[in-house]
Amino acid sequence: MTPTRRRRLLLVIGILAGVSIAGGLALSAFRQNVTFYFIPSQVAAGKAPVGESFRLGGIVAKGSVHRTPGSMQVHFMVTDYKHEIPVEYTGVLPDLFRENSGVIVHGKLLPDGVFLANQVLAKHDQYYRPPGIHQAWGIQHGDPRDPALAVSATASTAAAHSSSIEAATEYAK
Amino acid sequence: MMRFLYMGGYYPWVWPAYVVTFGVMGLNIYWAKRLRERARRAARRRLQTQEEP
Amino acid sequence: MTWTWFHRLASPPHLYRTAGRLTPWFAWPAALLIIAGLIGGLWLAPPDYQQGDAYRIMYVHAPSAWLSLMVYTIMAVAGAIGLIWRMKAAHALAAAAAPIGASFTLATLVTGSLWGKPMWGTYWQWDPRLTSELLLFFLYLGYMGLRAAFEDLQRADRVSAVLAVVGVINVPIIHYSVVWWNSLHQGPSVMYLGKPTMPPSMLVPLLLMFFGFTLFFGAVLLVRLQGEVLNRERAARWVEEEVGA
């Protein structure tokens, strides 16, 4: 390699390294300050903004969904198996909204501890399988690299999630 | 066949997604061929203007 | 190690002819793989236990997303080679790749939106994954805009290559956005090696689509590259042989 080419190579590597370091620093700041949603444990720990709208993510607790007859109103509990937050919402629910499944709600926490949602989004995971098969391609949650999985769960038992929830709460701290 | 097109009720989302993707692919083929054709025509024109004088 | 093949490939007539010869070797397998993937994904694969048939959008969404990232990476590598070795062929390749990448990034955003509405309940959220993919689209547009803004081809090559190289840090950010941050988007399905996230009846059509889309990109890139190479050649004898004036 000629000296000029070596100089250009170093220059390109230098620019890329500089931008990567700047980007990395910006991201790590981002990671601490900006979250797309908060999990119930974070809200319980007072990490969510008070009096402002934010997103709450978690699992729809089993058996907690109650619809008010004759209206679009629905109540349910959002849980991370450590803390639960009651949510009230009026409107159309997405197709994937179901008990024991991941959900992200946007709204405000009222002083009485009820989360009044104006938008409900369902979260699904990256696991696909035909109906009726539950074991063979079973869900492998609890990947500590993926705290988002904590609310993407679709399995039927809370026990299956405990490890991923712990990972998520670790992450939250 | 109707059941296939119905896509379990998700036809308003599934089919437009496929149309968009294959539309993009078709446009890519068209644009690429057009670019090459225009380049060839421009090259031919350049060669002709060089020969004349 | 000898670099002759590298310099030979960089010679415009050789590049032009090689690209022309290779195109059908990409185009036909791409067509076959995509048709097989379509039959597998739309017809043979079972519906998902949760998403029903809506998950079939994955068969066009995920390969488009893969292309959007791969093409940008290729552009950045080609740009860096062009900057360091002053290699015109590398710049031509990056310039040829950009519009393809941009169009598939748009397809990713639109198909994702069409998938998000029935499943998540929203067309768009300012979620880390969605936002970083949108940023990628703007990077492509910026790259093409920058190229168009310069009259002087050499300057356009160099300035746009710097943008391509700098912007490439967005690529790992997009990929890991669903891992690093809380996101509405699910984790990667195929990129996690060793852990199957779907049965073969669903996975095989997806892999066919991945390979098909990649080869399709190769075929389109080669055609565009021929055009780019020809546009950069002024009064060379080989051009006369090729275009037969």
Side-chain angles (χ1 to χ4, degrees):
Chain A
M1 205 183 267
T2 63
T4 4
R5 281 176 189 163
R6 192 186 303 276
R7 209 178 53 238
R8 287 189 211 126
L9 176 66
L10 289 175
L11 191 67
V12 169
I13 291 173
I15 290 172
L16 192 58
V19 174
S20 304
I21 291 165
L25 289 173
L27 288 180
S28 67
F30 211 52
R31 192 166 171 163
Q32 280 153 17
N33 295 328
V34 181
T35 25
F36 186 64
Y37 60 79
F38 294 88
I39 61 172
S41 291
Q42 286 172 305
V43 177
K47 289 198 168 128
V50 181
E52 272 176 60
S53 290
F54 66 95
R55 289 188 195 84
L56 169 71
I59 312 280
V60 181
K62 199 173 184 179
S64 73
V65 180
H66 295 288
R67 285 161 215 271
T68 314
S71 80
M72 299 278 271
Q73 203 179 51
V74 61
H75 291 263
F76 53 91
M77 303 293 274
V78 169
T79 180
D80 58 6
Y81 302 111
K82 289 234 165 102
H83 294 91
E84 281 194 341
I85 292 174
V87 175
E88 194 186 303
Y89 172 69
T90 306
V92 181
L93 292 165
D95 290 7
L96 280 187
F97 178 87
R98 51 195 73 169
E99 290 180 1
N100 257 327
S101 202
V103 75
I104 295 170
V105 294
H106 181 259
K108 266 185 187 168
L109 196 59
L110 302 178
D112 61 355
V114 174
F115 191 91
L116 185 65
N118 53 33
Q119 187 181 37
V120 173
L121 302 176
K123 187 167 156 47
H124 64 83
D125 59 21
Q126 70 270 45
Y127 297 96
Y128 305 89
R129 58 179 191 263
I133 299 176
H134 294 286
Q135 292 306 317
W137 300 95
I139 294 153
Q140 301 164 52
H141 290 287
D143 187 338
R145 287 173 302 175
D146 190 355
L149 273 182
V151 298
S152 69
T154 48
S156 50
T157 56
H161 306 303
S162 56
S163 61
S164 68
I165 294 298
E166 270 156 27
T169 34
E170 273 305 295
Y171 171 79
K173 283 170 201 163
Chain B
M1 192 63 194
M2 281 312 284
R3 242 186 72 180
F4 174 69
L5 291 176
Y6 188 62
M7 276 289 148
Y10 289 117
Y11 64 92
W13 321 106
V14 174
W15 297 121
Y18 278 78
V19 167
V20 165
T21 308
F22 285 90
V24 160
M25 293 180 118
L27 281 176
N28 266 298
I29 296 171
Y30 172 70
W31 285 333
K33 289 192 165 174
R34 193 181 62 176
L35 175 75
R36 188 173 62 180
E37 210 34 62
R38 281 185 180 171
R40 280 177 181 162
R41 237 178 287 147
R44 256 178 235 130
R45 226 177 298 129
R46 278 201 300 271
L47 288 168
Q48 272 159 8
T49 47
Q50 274 161 20
E51 279 160 17
E52 272 159 25
Chain C
M1 188 174 167
T2 166
W3 286 90
T4 23
W5 64 271
F6 192 64
H7 292 296
R8 235 165 82 87
L9 193 67
S11 97
H14 187 75
L15 186 61
Y16 182 89
R17 287 177 194 137
T18 311
R21 263 202 306 275
L22 284 177
T23 305
W25 292 94
F26 282 79
W28 291 111
L32 290 177
L33 285 168
I34 288 168
I35 290 168
L38 276 178
I39 296 168
L42 285 172
W43 192 272
L44 300 177
D48 180 55
Y49 74 118
Q50 277 219 316
Q51 301 190 40
D53 288 308
Y55 95 98
R56 296 184 199 278
I57 293 173
M58 173 181 78
Y59 293 111
V60 286
H61 175 72
S64 300
W66 153 247
L67 276 193
S68 73
L69 298 182
M70 185 193 77
V71 174
Y72 198 90
T73 311
I74 288 175
M75 243 169 66
V77 171
I81 291 173
L83 284 177
I84 296 160
W85 282 278
R86 291 282 188 269
M87 192 173 153
K88 283 182 190 164
H91 286 305
L93 186 114
I100 316 173
S103 62
F104 278 99
T105 308
L106 188 62
T108 307
L109 292 166
V110 174
T111 55
S113 177
L114 287 166
W115 194 1
K117 183 60 185 172
M119 289 299 107
W120 298 340
T122 181
Y123 284 114
W124 183 262
Q125 286 287 306
W126 292 101
D127 159 281
R129 169 58 73 83
L130 278 58
T131 309
S132 54
E133 183 74 13
L134 184 66
L135 179 64
L136 181 70
F137 183 59
F138 290 138
L139 279 171
Y140 275 117
L141 292 188
Y143 178 90
M144 296 192 302
L146 208 51
R147 291 196 66 84
F150 286 97
E151 194 77 34
D152 177 24
L153 192 62
Q154 226 176 36
R155 180 164 288 182
D157 280 345
R158 282 181 207 165
V159 175
S160 63
V162 171
L163 177 67
V165 169
V166 167
V168 81
I169 57 156
N170 190 33
V171 170
I173 292 175
I174 294 171
H175 182 69
Y176 288 106
S177 57
V178 292
V179 180
W180 291 340
W181 297 293
N182 288 343
S183 170
L184 179 60
H185 198 282
Q186 70 279 14
S189 285
V190 176
M191 294 303 204
Y192 269 162
L193 295 172
K195 282 207 294 175
T197 62
M198 60 188 93
S201 57
M202 292 172 165
L203 183 62
V204 169
L206 184 61
L207 293 178
L208 292 176
M209 287 301 231
F210 270 108
F211 288 119
F213 273 55
T214 307
L215 290 176
F216 174 86
F217 161 71
V220 174
L221 179 73
L222 290 171
V223 173
R224 295 195 72 95
L225 187 58
Q226 282 191 301
E228 287 282 343
V229 169
L230 215 49
N231 276 336
R232 282 156 195 262
E233 274 311 300
R234 304 281 156 190
R237 196 173 298 138
W238 71 269
V239 175
E240 198 172 347
E241 282 170 35
E242 286 300 327
V243 301

